[in-house]
């Protein structure tokens, strides 16, 4: 299977698992002054010398579905989707000396992960099919790592590894998580979603509509606060302070989040699923 050069690649392994990989480590950046391509290891633009560089962090997993047969295969015939990502855990601080590898599993036939099926189905019938029928250019579905739709699919993290000081002669490797393949995934928890992923409207809607005592209150840092006090506090808060109110939303809570519209960006490189 051929994937986007700077984004996702995919293939099958022997048990029929669909594997997608996404690398943000080798993305090429761009000078904001002269639009010249800048490599990640370069601190200045090789053409104009500017240090005003647009550091790219937008690679994603791509799912291309061109027929109902391919949609059925992903939704009901493949037991497991394995998505792998390499990125910079300290990207926002401009630190490119540490990289991270993480692997997640999604089981399309498991009701816990039915949102994944919904995303694929919605993309095929409401995006790909209308464009294809109109002879317009089509693009695969973008599945963005660590975004709201990713967490709503309830992915299970099975591997996490940090490599520090990669630009030295003595890098260090730390395995933070590894779930043996033989371990039953049925009761393994999915990833908690950081609250900062939401916008304020979504945050307020969750706290207002989810069962307060059963779902919202156990997630709060202050479990003595009332619902009205909480909503008022959120309205007056800034996003950088939200983690002090409610750090994350777990799988039980994510049921009460609305789905965002799927955004499909055009691809510069043709993506083929074989």
């Amino acid at each position: 299977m051929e994937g986007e050069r700077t984004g996702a690649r995919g293939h099958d392994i022997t048990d029929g698992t669909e594997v997608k990989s996404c690398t943000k480590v080798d993305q090429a950046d761009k000078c904001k002054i002269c639009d010249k391509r800048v490599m990640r290891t370069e601190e200045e633009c090789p053409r104009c010398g500017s240090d005003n560089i647009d550091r790219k962090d937008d690679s994603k997993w791509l799912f291309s579905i061109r027929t109902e047969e391919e949609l059925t295969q992903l939704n009901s015939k493949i037991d497991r989707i394995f998505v792998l990502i390499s990125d910079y855990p300290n990207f926002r601080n401009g630190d490119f000396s540490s990289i991270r590898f993480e692997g997640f599993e999604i089981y399309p036939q498991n009701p816990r992960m039915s949102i994944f099926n919904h995303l694929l189905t919605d993309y095929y019938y409401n995006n790909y099919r209308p464009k294809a029928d109109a002879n317009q250019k089509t693009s695969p579905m973008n599945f963005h790592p660590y975004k709201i739709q990713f967490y709503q699919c309830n992915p299970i993290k099975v591997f996490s590894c940090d490599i520090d000081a990669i630009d030295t002669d003595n890098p260090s490797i730390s395995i933070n998580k590894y779930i043996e393949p033989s371990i039953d995934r049925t009761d393994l928890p999915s990833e908690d979603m950081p609250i900062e992923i939401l916008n304020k409207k979504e945050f307020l809607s969750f706290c207002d509509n989810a069962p307060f005592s059963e779902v919202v209150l156990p997630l709060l840092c202050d479990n003595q606060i009332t619902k009205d006090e909480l909503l008022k506090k959120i309205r007056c808060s800034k996003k950088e302070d939200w983690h002090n109110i409610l750090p994350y939303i777990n799988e039980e809570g994510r049921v009460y989040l609305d789905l965002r519209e799927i955004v499909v960006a055009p691809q510069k490189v043709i993506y083929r699923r074989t």
Side-chain angles (χ1 to χ4, degrees):
M1 188 181 305
E2 183 180 347
E4 182 193 13
R5 290 176 186 171
T6 60
R9 295 185 182 275
H11 60 276
D12 300 330
I13 55 179
T14 54
D15 67 352
T17 295
E18 179 89 357
V19 180
K20 297 287 185 179
S21 63
C22 166
T23 177
K24 300 189 176 189
V25 170
D26 63 357
Q27 281 194 262
D29 302 321
K30 184 178 291 187
C31 177
K32 293 182 179 180
I33 304 301
C34 71
D35 216 32
K36 172 73 174 178
R37 179 186 177 104
V38 180
M39 302 308 295
R40 187 56 53 86
T41 55
E42 295 176 315
E43 296 183 1
E44 297 180 349
C45 173
R47 173 186 290 173
C48 70
S50 171
D51 62 357
N52 192 1
I53 309 299
D54 180 15
R55 299 296 183 183
K56 301 293 186 180
D57 189 45
D58 57 356
S59 284
K60 59 272 183 185
W61 298 295
L62 304 179
F63 287 86
S64 180
I65 309 169
R66 295 168 295 182
T67 65
E68 290 193 4
E69 182 181 1
E70 288 184 338
L71 177 64
T72 300
Q73 180 184 13
L74 281 170
N75 274 346
S76 59
K77 294 185 178 180
I78 291 178
D79 291 329
R80 177 174 61 174
I81 308 290
F82 180 80
V83 290
L84 176 68
I85 179 173
S86 61
D87 66 355
Y88 298 99
N90 303 315
F91 177 85
R92 292 186 178 181
N93 299 327
D95 176 10
F96 307 128
S97 64
S98 298
I99 62 175
R100 172 179 58 186
F101 291 88
E102 292 199 315
F104 302 87
E105 294 177 351
I106 296 173
Y107 293 84
Q109 298 181 52
N110 190 323
R112 291 174 65 189
M113 302 168 184
S114 61
I115 293 296
F116 180 77
N117 305 71
H118 171 81
L119 294 176
L120 295 176
T121 303
D122 182 79
Y123 155 78
Y124 178 74
Y125 287 111
N126 296 322
N127 188 287
Y128 175 82
R129 195 69 268 157
K131 290 181 179 179
D133 292 343
N135 292 319
Q136 298 176 356
K137 183 178 180 180
T138 61
S139 298
M141 187 188 83
N142 303 328
F143 191 47
H144 291 272
Y146 310 120
K147 300 296 184 180
I148 185 170
Q149 292 172 342
F150 168 76
Y151 287 103
Q152 287 178 306
C153 291
N154 296 326
I156 297 172
K157 183 190 292 185
V158 295
F159 180 77
S160 179
C161 168
D162 289 328
I163 304 177
D164 296 319
I166 60 172
D167 51 354
T168 70
D169 294 331
N170 189 31
S172 62
I173 301 176
S174 301
I175 305 296
N176 304 314
K177 188 164 192 174
Y178 173 61
I179 305 296
E180 291 279 354
S182 59
I183 299 297
D184 184 5
R185 269 63 168 156
T186 304
D187 297 320
L188 291 182
S190 60
E191 282 295 281
D192 290 330
M193 187 190 78
I195 195 62
E196 292 84 1
I197 288 176
L198 301 182
N199 58 44
K200 184 166 287 190
K201 182 180 179 180
E202 291 168 330
F203 192 7
L204 287 168
S205 177
F206 168 73
C207 293
D208 194 26
N209 296 325
F212 186 75
S213 298
E214 297 82 5
V215 176
V216 179
L217 199 60
L219 300 175
L220 297 175
C221 295
D222 179 5
N223 57 15
Q224 302 299 316
I225 196 171
T226 67
K227 180 177 178 178
D228 289 340
E229 290 171 338
L230 173 63
L231 296 176
K232 181 179 180 181
K233 188 173 184 178
I234 295 172
R235 291 190 186 100
C236 298
S237 67
K238 296 181 179 179
K239 178 170 282 196
E240 54 263 32
D241 298 323
W242 288 359
H243 67 280
N244 294 320
I245 301 174
L246 190 157
Y248 61 86
I249 298 180
N250 58 15
E251 183 173 332
E252 180 184 5
R254 289 195 292 270
V255 174
Y256 300 95
L257 292 175
D258 291 332
L259 275 174
R260 287 182 185 171
E261 181 182 357
I262 297 174
V263 176
V264 180
Q267 302 299 320
K268 295 181 180 180
V269 179
I270 295 177
Y271 177 89
R272 294 185 177 89
R273 184 177 188 278
T274 58

